PDB file of all heavy atoms in Angstrom:
ATOM      1  N   LEU A  96     270.973-101.209 116.798  1.00 79.00           N
ATOM      2  CA  LEU A  96     269.781-102.115 116.814  1.00 79.00           C
ATOM      3  C   LEU A  96     269.548-102.616 118.191  1.00 79.00           C
ATOM      4  O   LEU A  96     270.407-102.627 118.983  1.00 79.00           O
ATOM      5  CB  LEU A  96     270.118-103.497 116.033  1.00 79.00           C
ATOM      6  CG  LEU A  96     270.519-103.393 114.561  1.00 79.00           C
ATOM      7  CD1 LEU A  96     270.998-104.523 113.980  1.00 79.00           C
ATOM      8  CD2 LEU A  96     269.148-102.911 113.786  1.00 79.00           C
ATOM      9  N   ILE A 112     276.718-108.477 112.117  1.00 86.00           N
ATOM     10  CA  ILE A 112     275.268-108.496 111.831  1.00 86.00           C
ATOM     11  C   ILE A 112     275.260-108.671 110.282  1.00 86.00           C
ATOM     12  O   ILE A 112     275.886-107.912 109.551  1.00 86.00           O
ATOM     13  CB  ILE A 112     274.462-107.313 112.259  1.00 86.00           C
ATOM     14  CG1 ILE A 112     274.690-107.223 113.840  1.00 86.00           C
ATOM     15  CG2 ILE A 112     273.076-107.108 111.803  1.00 86.00           C
ATOM     16  CD1 ILE A 112     274.206-105.959 114.382  1.00 86.00           C
ATOM     17  N   ARG A 113     274.296-109.520 109.767  1.00 83.00           N
ATOM     18  CA  ARG A 113     273.976-109.603 108.311  1.00 83.00           C
ATOM     19  C   ARG A 113     272.435-109.739 108.089  1.00 83.00           C
ATOM     20  O   ARG A 113     271.789-110.374 108.846  1.00 83.00           O
ATOM     21  CB  ARG A 113     274.717-110.936 107.838  1.00 83.00           C
ATOM     22  CG  ARG A 113     276.165-110.821 107.657  1.00 83.00           C
ATOM     23  CD  ARG A 113     276.777-112.066 107.159  1.00 83.00           C
ATOM     24  NE  ARG A 113     276.483-113.246 108.102  1.00 83.00           N
ATOM     25  CZ  ARG A 113     277.031-113.463 109.271  1.00 83.00           C
ATOM     26  NH1 ARG A 113     277.918-112.627 109.778  1.00 83.00           N
ATOM     27  NH2 ARG A 113     276.844-114.623 110.046  1.00 83.00           N
ATOM     28  N   ILE A 114     272.038-109.002 107.132  1.00 78.00           N
ATOM     29  CA  ILE A 114     270.663-109.235 106.507  1.00 78.00           C
ATOM     30  C   ILE A 114     270.762-109.717 105.178  1.00 78.00           C
ATOM     31  O   ILE A 114     271.157-108.881 104.267  1.00 78.00           O
ATOM     32  CB  ILE A 114     269.876-107.871 106.752  1.00 78.00           C
ATOM     33  CG1 ILE A 114     269.865-107.344 108.192  1.00 78.00           C
ATOM     34  CG2 ILE A 114     268.409-108.072 106.121  1.00 78.00           C
ATOM     35  CD1 ILE A 114     269.163-106.119 108.450  1.00 78.00           C
ATOM     36  N   PRO A 115     270.840-110.867 105.023  1.00 76.00           N
ATOM     37  CA  PRO A 115     271.141-111.484 103.690  1.00 76.00           C
ATOM     38  C   PRO A 115     270.081-111.380 102.597  1.00 76.00           C
ATOM     39  O   PRO A 115     270.278-111.619 101.420  1.00 76.00           O
ATOM     40  CB  PRO A 115     271.302-113.055 104.028  1.00 76.00           C
ATOM     41  CG  PRO A 115     270.465-113.208 105.280  1.00 76.00           C
ATOM     42  CD  PRO A 115     270.517-112.063 106.080  1.00 76.00           C
ATOM     43  N   VAL A 117     268.641-108.601 101.458  1.00 73.00           N
ATOM     44  CA  VAL A 117     268.704-107.542 100.515  1.00 73.00           C
ATOM     45  C   VAL A 117     269.922-107.771  99.716  1.00 73.00           C
ATOM     46  O   VAL A 117     270.956-108.385 100.125  1.00 73.00           O
ATOM     47  CB  VAL A 117     268.764-106.105 101.246  1.00 73.00           C
ATOM     48  CG1 VAL A 117     267.525-105.953 101.934  1.00 73.00           C
ATOM     49  CG2 VAL A 117     269.947-106.173 102.345  1.00 73.00           C
ATOM     50  N   PRO A 119     272.932-105.372  97.535  1.00 79.00           N
ATOM     51  CA  PRO A 119     273.895-106.221  98.263  1.00 79.00           C
ATOM     52  C   PRO A 119     273.480-106.460  99.758  1.00 79.00           C
ATOM     53  O   PRO A 119     272.965-105.577 100.370  1.00 79.00           O
ATOM     54  CB  PRO A 119     275.123-105.414  98.160  1.00 79.00           C
ATOM     55  CG  PRO A 119     274.742-103.897  98.003  1.00 79.00           C
ATOM     56  CD  PRO A 119     273.375-104.006  97.333  1.00 79.00           C
ATOM     57  N   MET A 120     274.047-107.595 100.149  1.00 80.00           N
ATOM     58  CA  MET A 120     273.689-107.949 101.559  1.00 80.00           C
ATOM     59  C   MET A 120     274.147-106.962 102.570  1.00 80.00           C
ATOM     60  O   MET A 120     275.279-106.474 102.292  1.00 80.00           O
ATOM     61  CB  MET A 120     274.453-109.311 101.872  1.00 80.00           C
ATOM     62  CG  MET A 120     274.110-109.806 103.270  1.00 80.00           C
ATOM     63  SD  MET A 120     274.994-111.329 103.876  1.00 80.00           S
ATOM     64  CE  MET A 120     275.702-112.130 102.389  1.00 80.00           C
ATOM     65  N   PHE A 121     273.384-106.594 103.549  1.00 81.00           N
ATOM     66  CA  PHE A 121     273.719-105.643 104.533  1.00 81.00           C
ATOM     67  C   PHE A 121     274.744-106.331 105.591  1.00 81.00           C
ATOM     68  O   PHE A 121     274.127-107.451 106.177  1.00 81.00           O
ATOM     69  CB  PHE A 121     272.500-105.153 105.283  1.00 81.00           C
ATOM     70  CG  PHE A 121     272.949-104.130 106.506  1.00 81.00           C
ATOM     71  CD1 PHE A 121     273.289-102.813 106.114  1.00 81.00           C
ATOM     72  CD2 PHE A 121     272.791-104.559 107.705  1.00 81.00           C
ATOM     73  CE1 PHE A 121     273.550-102.043 107.143  1.00 81.00           C
ATOM     74  CE2 PHE A 121     273.207-103.720 108.785  1.00 81.00           C
ATOM     75  CZ  PHE A 121     273.501-102.418 108.564  1.00 81.00           C
ATOM     76  N   GLU A 122     275.829-105.975 105.778  1.00 86.00           N
ATOM     77  CA  GLU A 122     276.786-106.531 106.856  1.00 86.00           C
ATOM     78  C   GLU A 122     277.508-105.430 107.488  1.00 86.00           C
ATOM     79  O   GLU A 122     277.890-104.416 106.916  1.00 86.00           O
ATOM     80  CB  GLU A 122     277.859-107.321 106.122  1.00 86.00           C
ATOM     81  CG  GLU A 122     277.282-108.581 105.175  1.00 86.00           C
ATOM     82  CD  GLU A 122     278.527-109.402 104.681  1.00 86.00           C
ATOM     83  OE1 GLU A 122     278.880-108.971 103.528  1.00 86.00           O
ATOM     84  OE2 GLU A 122     278.977-110.326 105.320  1.00 86.00           O
ATOM     85  N   THR A 123     277.534-105.676 108.822  1.00 87.00           N
ATOM     86  CA  THR A 123     278.274-104.563 109.587  1.00 87.00           C
ATOM     87  C   THR A 123     278.721-105.197 110.877  1.00 87.00           C
ATOM     88  O   THR A 123     278.355-106.374 111.243  1.00 87.00           O
ATOM     89  CB  THR A 123     277.249-103.379 109.983  1.00 87.00           C
ATOM     90  OG1 THR A 123     278.041-102.329 110.514  1.00 87.00           O
ATOM     91  CG2 THR A 123     276.195-103.800 110.832  1.00 87.00           C
ATOM     92  N   PHE A 143     276.266 -99.457 116.042  1.00 87.00           N
ATOM     93  CA  PHE A 143     277.123 -99.716 114.830  1.00 87.00           C
ATOM     94  C   PHE A 143     278.386 -99.131 115.080  1.00 87.00           C
ATOM     95  O   PHE A 143     278.662 -97.890 115.687  1.00 87.00           O
ATOM     96  CB  PHE A 143     276.456 -98.987 113.582  1.00 87.00           C
ATOM     97  CG  PHE A 143     275.163 -99.620 113.172  1.00 87.00           C
ATOM     98  CD1 PHE A 143     274.085 -98.690 113.147  1.00 87.00           C
ATOM     99  CD2 PHE A 143     274.862-100.932 112.925  1.00 87.00           C
ATOM    100  CE1 PHE A 143     272.716 -99.176 112.812  1.00 87.00           C
ATOM    101  CE2 PHE A 143     273.777-101.381 112.598  1.00 87.00           C
ATOM    102  CZ  PHE A 143     272.659-100.517 112.532  1.00 87.00           C
ATOM    103  N   ASP A 148     276.732 -96.700 108.690  1.00 79.00           N
ATOM    104  CA  ASP A 148     275.801 -98.007 108.821  1.00 79.00           C
ATOM    105  C   ASP A 148     274.439 -97.543 109.233  1.00 79.00           C
ATOM    106  O   ASP A 148     273.479 -98.252 108.965  1.00 79.00           O
ATOM    107  CB  ASP A 148     276.413 -99.151 109.581  1.00 79.00           C
ATOM    108  CG  ASP A 148     277.623 -99.773 108.889  1.00 79.00           C
ATOM    109  OD1 ASP A 148     277.719 -99.629 107.510  1.00 79.00           O
ATOM    110  OD2 ASP A 148     278.436-100.335 109.501  1.00 79.00           O
ATOM    111  N   ARG A 151     272.695 -96.691 106.219  1.00 75.00           N
ATOM    112  CA  ARG A 151     272.481 -97.981 105.497  1.00 75.00           C
ATOM    113  C   ARG A 151     271.388 -98.777 106.111  1.00 75.00           C
ATOM    114  O   ARG A 151     270.534 -99.465 105.349  1.00 75.00           O
ATOM    115  CB  ARG A 151     273.700 -98.703 105.317  1.00 75.00           C
ATOM    116  CG  ARG A 151     274.687 -98.052 104.427  1.00 75.00           C
ATOM    117  CD  ARG A 151     276.055 -98.759 104.234  1.00 75.00           C
ATOM    118  NE  ARG A 151     275.847-100.112 103.960  1.00 75.00           N
ATOM    119  CZ  ARG A 151     276.487-101.209 104.639  1.00 75.00           C
ATOM    120  NH1 ARG A 151     277.272-100.988 105.566  1.00 75.00           N
ATOM    121  NH2 ARG A 151     276.191-102.437 104.351  1.00 75.00           N
ATOM    122  N   ALA A 152     271.493 -98.922 107.382  1.00 73.00           N
ATOM    123  CA  ALA A 152     270.295 -99.655 108.010  1.00 73.00           C
ATOM    124  C   ALA A 152     268.973 -99.141 107.843  1.00 73.00           C
ATOM    125  O   ALA A 152     267.973 -99.961 107.711  1.00 73.00           O
ATOM    126  CB  ALA A 152     270.695 -99.740 109.474  1.00 73.00           C
ATOM    127  N   VAL A 155     267.952-100.311 104.453  1.00 74.00           N
ATOM    128  CA  VAL A 155     267.553-101.747 104.623  1.00 74.00           C
ATOM    129  C   VAL A 155     266.223-101.905 105.103  1.00 74.00           C
ATOM    130  O   VAL A 155     265.480-102.584 104.780  1.00 74.00           O
ATOM    131  CB  VAL A 155     268.639-102.564 105.360  1.00 74.00           C
ATOM    132  CG1 VAL A 155     268.144-103.924 105.661  1.00 74.00           C
ATOM    133  CG2 VAL A 155     269.973-102.671 104.452  1.00 74.00           C
TER     134      VAL A 155
END
Side-chain angles (χ1 to χ4, degrees):
L96 298 172
I112 298 172
R113 287 177 300 286
I114 301 177
V117 295
M120 181 182 349
F121 177 80
E122 295 182 274
T123 191
F143 298 123
D148 288 338
R151 289 179 49 229
V155 168

